[in-house]
Amino acid sequence: MRFTLIKDLKKDRMMKPILGGLLLFILLYIVADIFVKQQTIGLFSAEVALTLFGNTEEYLDPISKAVFLETLHGEVFFLMMILLTLSAVFVRLRAQKRFSLALLNITMSSALLALLSLAFAYFFSQSFINLYVLTFFLWHIGAFLMTILSLWSLYRA
Amino acid sequence: MHSLYRYSVLYFLLFSLLLLGSSFLIFEHKIGFSQLEVVHYYLGDEESFMIAKTPLGLLKIILPHIFAFGLFMMVLLHFLVFTNKRDSSEVLFIIYAAFIAAFLELFSPFLILGGVWVFAYVKMASFFAMLGISLYVSYLLFVSIIKE
């Protein structure tokens, strides 16, 4: 990643718009992900429970194990790549801020917990769904903030 | 490495464990870890109502994985640059072994479809080799981060 080697990114005429574009697309992904999850797995506990376990009264089948595992697998891959890229840019632009370390840790650990709690909810106990919903929103808010702060650091005078 | 980058790498390693864990579960659930199960998965099995895969169907499955394997291996392995094992022959061996294992894991099913059943073993061996290499590299990186 060349941007980790350039001394002052804000003054680099080439890297500045490239990183700006990348951050903008990450921002779009974070927002779009919420809409996609709303339509697929659900955003809140009741909807997620319905997707994972179905409902016999409403004749809704639960998600199959194969589909669940494949969804989780794809989700892990996308999340790890996006958050690694975002955190690399964020660290490069805001490494000197004490708040950055806390935000980075909260975002990354909540994303990790979101994936784990979803798997635990499916395989062990439905009660993990609440933790999934909480950490899902937490990592989205954290990543959103990281992106906005990175853009702010990149473009402020 | 900047101290904050170490956190990013550490979280990446944790995500990697989750990725490897989920891939193990998928392999176990969809294919199975015996030669017969691997052959049945690709060539079909009437008793368990499994339909045989076609070369095009197989290509559609592996297409996103070709890019994903390459990207994952590149990202994971390039962090070795920051360890004290950089430029060692061990790391060079790991790099070649990782990409060869990934290649065999992806493309050995085509030879199973072609009737060379022994490649069911190659499929399983390359899958476990990929897991093993990824875990070993993760361990090397983890030790390097902790010691730094």
Side-chain angles (χ1 to χ4, degrees):
Chain A
M1 292 183 196
R2 185 171 151 71
F3 67 85
T4 59
L5 305 173
I6 295 169
K7 257 191 172 180
D8 195 346
L9 283 172
K10 295 169 201 169
K11 288 178 185 160
D12 193 294
R13 287 182 63 198
M14 206 181 118
M15 284 312 291
K16 196 173 165 176
I18 291 173
L19 283 185
L22 173 71
L23 288 167
L24 186 71
F25 272 75
I26 289 176
L27 202 66
L28 290 172
Y29 178 88
I30 294 164
V31 175
D33 189 49
I34 294 174
F35 287 106
V36 171
K37 290 293 180 307
Q38 186 189 22
Q39 292 300 316
T40 52
I41 194 164
L43 282 184
F44 300 103
S45 301
E47 299 158 5
V48 177
L50 202 65
T51 309
L52 294 187
F53 308 109
N55 188 330
T56 45
E57 286 173 11
E58 295 176 34
Y59 304 104
L60 287 170
D61 289 327
I63 190 170
S64 73
K65 191 178 173 185
V67 172
F68 176 77
L69 284 172
E70 280 166 3
T71 308
L72 188 74
H73 189 62
E75 197 69 20
V76 174
F77 181 75
F78 264 100
L79 249 180
M80 69 195 282
M81 290 305 172
I82 281 166
L83 289 181
L84 178 74
T85 313
L86 175 61
S87 66
V89 179
F90 182 69
V91 167
R92 184 67 184 81
L93 288 167
R94 295 186 66 87
Q96 70 287 6
K97 307 281 190 299
R98 196 182 293 175
F99 171 68
S100 302
L101 178 63
L103 185 60
L104 180 80
N105 275 315
I106 289 168
T107 307
M108 298 296 250
S109 53
S110 56
L112 203 62
L113 258 178
L115 295 166
L116 279 172
S117 54
L118 188 65
F120 285 172
Y122 186 78
F123 289 112
F124 303 119
S125 167
Q126 198 169 333
S127 57
F128 282 103
I129 288 177
N130 291 328
L131 182 64
Y132 164 73
V133 172
L134 178 76
T135 48
F136 173 83
F137 281 110
L138 205 57
W139 89 252
H140 275 82
I141 294 165
F144 189 84
L145 266 175
M146 279 169 74
T147 318
I148 295 292
L149 288 172
S150 300
L151 279 168
W152 170 255
S153 295
L154 191 66
Y155 283 103
R156 74 176 168 188
Chain B
M1 201 192 305
H2 192 285
S3 62
L4 276 181
Y5 278 128
R6 280 186 287 166
Y7 286 94
S8 300
V9 177
L10 193 64
Y11 282 111
F12 179 82
L13 295 180
L14 292 173
F15 276 108
S16 299
L17 289 181
L18 212 55
L19 189 77
L20 298 175
S22 60
S23 67
F24 180 87
L25 288 175
I26 290 173
F27 201 115
E28 187 264 336
H29 180 70
K30 290 190 78 175
I31 304 175
F33 292 119
S34 73
Q35 191 235 9
L36 204 61
E37 283 174 311
V38 175
V39 170
H40 282 168
Y41 177 76
Y42 290 108
L43 297 181
D45 180 36
E46 280 183 12
E47 280 182 20
S48 46
F49 306 105
M50 291 174 90
I51 303 163
K53 304 274 181 294
T54 63
L56 187 63
L58 207 55
L59 199 61
K60 279 180 184 171
I61 295 169
I62 69 164
L63 182 66
H65 287 95
I66 297 172
F67 169 70
F69 278 22
L71 183 65
F72 175 71
M73 284 301 174
M74 186 279 285
V75 175
L76 185 69
L77 293 169
H78 100 281
F79 286 133
L80 287 171
V81 168
F82 302 113
T83 67
N84 57 7
K85 287 190 181 286
R86 182 195 171 126
D87 295 330
S88 69
S89 52
E90 183 194 352
V91 162
L92 209 60
F93 173 77
I94 288 170
I95 292 168
Y96 281 114
F99 282 107
I100 290 169
F103 177 82
L104 289 174
E105 212 282 331
L106 286 171
F107 291 97
S108 56
F110 284 103
L111 288 151
I112 301 171
L113 281 191
V116 193
W117 289 13
V118 74
F119 273 89
Y121 289 114
V122 176
K123 168 81 182 172
M124 285 186 287
S126 54
F127 176 74
F128 282 112
M130 259 186 68
L131 284 190
I133 291 166
S134 305
L135 287 173
Y136 182 60
V137 172
S138 302
Y139 165 75
L140 289 179
L141 293 171
F142 184 73
V143 169
S144 169
I145 288 169
I146 297 298
K147 279 187 180 171
E148 206 176 287

